[in-house]
Amino acid sequence: MTAAFGGLALAPELEHFSIDTAAGPLTAFRVPPQGPSRGVALLVPGFTGSKEDFRLLLPLIAQHGWEVVSYSQRGQADSAAPVGIENYRLDDFAADAVTVAREIGRGGPVHLVGHSLGGLVARAALLQSVSRQNGPALFTDLTMLCSGPGGRAGAHEAEAELVAEHGTLAIWALDHPAGSALTADDEFVRDRLIASSVDNILGGIRILQSTPDSTEAVRATGVPTLVAHGDTDDAWPIPSQKLMAEQLGAVYRVIPQAGHLPNLDNPGFAAVMLDAFWASTS
């Protein structure tokens, strides 16, 4: 294990690199496949997240023969953070995902996974890539992990007010009273929020509140989809995710012993699930 951003211990297989985008350099992790490569996958983190959210999942996916990459979105952790909330629209995040996918795919197709807010970014990236498609499709398939069909009015409104007034650390302080004992993960989350952009948080909240439901457009692409969530996910209403899967004609999976972060709660099950889905679409 090696030290990394925020003092978090990371597996040595995680190769740290950066990708140039319109926002500036975005930091990323890559794990090469064990054995012959079966393809390339890209994992997009969610609200207040970063590439480190997939630190346990990436090496397990690579064991199945996939080259796998996660990255921190603009304004997250140690990625570039343009100033101004106008730089944190859904289209901006989606354009970054397309840029990253083209870079890591090296002209070939990419399996795309979006977690939570990252799911909204991933589906927008898919729609962008289809509308601009000139040649082979960029994305082989789409996985929505603990994510929903669109924004929900009023979501995270209290957090938006706190962050606007007190900065990003106000979110962390909600669940960590002064003087409470901290784990290494607690300290990492704190340091990540300190490093993250207020504009990223406020822009993300706007997306989570106001993004139109794009389920019909996603289904019309014909791209195979997987909808999956933890069995105790409390961030996105589970009935909404199940209905979205039905409307998409998607594969639907429930990840046991997991909440809103199955990539950390049950990464072994998540890796096997993704491997089976990608094998069915490759």
Side-chain angles (χ1 to χ4, degrees):
M1 306 292 280
T2 56
F5 173 78
L8 192 68
L10 298 172
E13 303 97 308
L14 296 175
E15 172 195 343
H16 192 285
F17 70 109
S18 64
I19 300 169
D20 290 330
T21 69
L26 303 184
T27 62
F29 287 143
R30 177 192 288 115
V31 181
Q34 290 191 12
S37 178
R38 299 169 63 197
V40 180
L42 175 63
L43 281 60
V44 185
F47 180 60
T48 72
S50 66
K51 62 187 179 298
E52 286 82 6
D53 288 341
F54 301 108
R55 63 188 182 272
L56 302 181
L57 183 57
L58 297 178
L60 298 178
I61 291 174
Q63 289 176 11
H64 291 279
W66 307 99
E67 178 182 348
V68 60
V69 171
S70 68
Y71 70 101
S72 296
Q73 300 196 71
R74 58 173 64 197
Q76 290 183 334
D78 50 356
S79 275
V83 176
I85 194 172
E86 69 276 5
N87 293 301
Y88 296 87
R89 304 167 303 159
L90 182 59
D91 284 349
D92 299 316
F93 288 114
D96 291 341
V98 169
T99 298
V100 173
R102 293 194 188 284
E103 176 72 17
I104 68 171
R106 300 179 291 276
V110 173
H111 302 279
L112 180 63
V113 180
H115 172 254
S116 195
L117 171 64
L120 298 181
V121 172
R123 64 197 290 157
L126 169 64
L127 295 175
Q128 277 192 15
S129 71
V130 170
S131 68
R132 301 173 186 176
Q133 188 171 321
N134 182 16
L138 177 59
F139 297 114
T140 302
D141 46 53
L142 169 68
T143 296
M144 303 281 288
L145 183 63
C146 298
S147 190
R152 293 172 290 154
H156 299 284
E157 191 61 43
E159 289 97 325
E161 294 175 4
L162 282 171
V163 169
E165 184 173 354
H166 300 292
T168 57
L169 195 56
I171 292 179
W172 185 85
L174 287 173
D175 299 319
H176 299 85
S180 59
L182 302 179
T183 66
D185 281 355
D186 290 332
E187 293 178 351
F188 164 71
V189 172
R190 177 198 64 197
D191 294 346
R192 176 172 65 184
L193 277 168
I194 291 171
S196 295
S197 161
V198 167
D199 293 326
N200 166 279
I201 302 295
L202 296 179
I205 290 173
R206 283 188 180 181
I207 291 168
L208 289 168
Q209 291 178 339
S210 61
T211 298
D213 185 339
S214 60
T215 299
E216 185 175 334
V218 172
R219 178 165 185 157
T221 66
V223 171
T225 55
L226 165 65
V227 172
H229 59 78
D231 57 358
T232 59
D233 185 4
D234 60 355
W236 285 90
I238 288 176
S240 172
Q241 295 186 66
K242 186 175 183 179
L243 176 61
M244 177 180 68
E246 294 171 357
Q247 292 173 337
L248 284 169
V251 177
Y252 176 66
R253 295 286 182 267
V254 177
I255 302 169
Q257 300 177 329
H260 189 57
L261 285 164
N263 33 306
L264 293 175
D265 296 335
N266 196 347
F269 187 100
V272 170
M273 175 192 73
L274 290 170
D275 172 59
F277 177 58
W278 295 339
S280 74
T281 65
S282 298

